[in-house]
Amino acid sequence: MAEEQRESNKKVILGDYALDIDVSSALTGLKAVKRCANEAVQAMEKLDDYSGKASFLQLGDMIRIGSLEAFSTEELHEELAKREGVQEVIVDNHRTMYLQTAIGAGGSIPVSGPARILINKD
């Protein structure tokens, strides 16, 4: 307690005058800054641990750490559907659509709804 008293109250003598200066609020603020700095260092160390193991991926406005597996199939589909050169075909519930296989192969693939099909023309 006495050591705390000495740390937060400083006595300054200027000629015939003596001043008691209370710096406890400044010390409290500095301790808070130190805690925040330590937290930032820990976060940077954690980020260093990720480097080389994973990468930051951005898909639209979504950011994930890892690989494409970090995104759901729905998120990937939504992003691809927005792209130029990609066409989306929607098969409604209780409907069936037939996709023709390669020309000359003479077959088709039935697709029952609900389904969303992406056609990449790039």
Side-chain angles (χ1 to χ4, degrees), residues 11-19:
K11 191 171 194 171
V12 178
I13 298 174
L14 297 170
D16 293 336
Y17 300 101
L19 299 173

Side-chain angles (χ1 to χ4, degrees), residues 57-81:
L57 299 172
Q58 183 169 359
L59 188 63
D61 60 349
M62 300 171 288
I63 298 175
R64 301 280 195 282
I65 297 175
S67 60
L68 284 176
E69 286 83 17
F71 294 97
S72 71
T73 303
E74 181 181 10
E75 291 170 330
L76 293 169
H77 185 98
E78 292 293 334
E79 180 61 29
L80 287 171

Side-chain angles (χ1 to χ4, degrees), residues 45-116:
E45 287 171 350
K46 190 180 278 188
L47 185 60
D48 280 346
D49 290 344
Y50 279 121
S51 65
K53 298 177 190 172
S55 51
F56 291 93
L57 299 172
Q58 183 169 359
L59 188 63
D61 60 349
M62 300 171 288
I63 298 175
R64 301 280 195 282
I65 297 175
S67 60
L68 284 176
E69 286 83 17
F71 294 97
S72 71
T73 303
E74 181 181 10
E75 291 170 330
L76 293 169
H77 185 98
E78 292 293 334
E79 180 61 29
L80 287 171
K82 295 177 196 173
R83 305 272 174 107
E84 201 172 312
V86 176
Q87 179 182 354
E88 182 177 28
V89 177
I90 297 174
V91 182
D92 292 329
N93 201 15
H94 306 297
R95 301 269 182 174
T96 300
M97 178 178 145
Y98 294 91
L99 296 176
Q100 184 175 352
T101 57
I103 297 174
S108 62
I109 301 168
V111 177
S112 297
R116 297 170 63 193

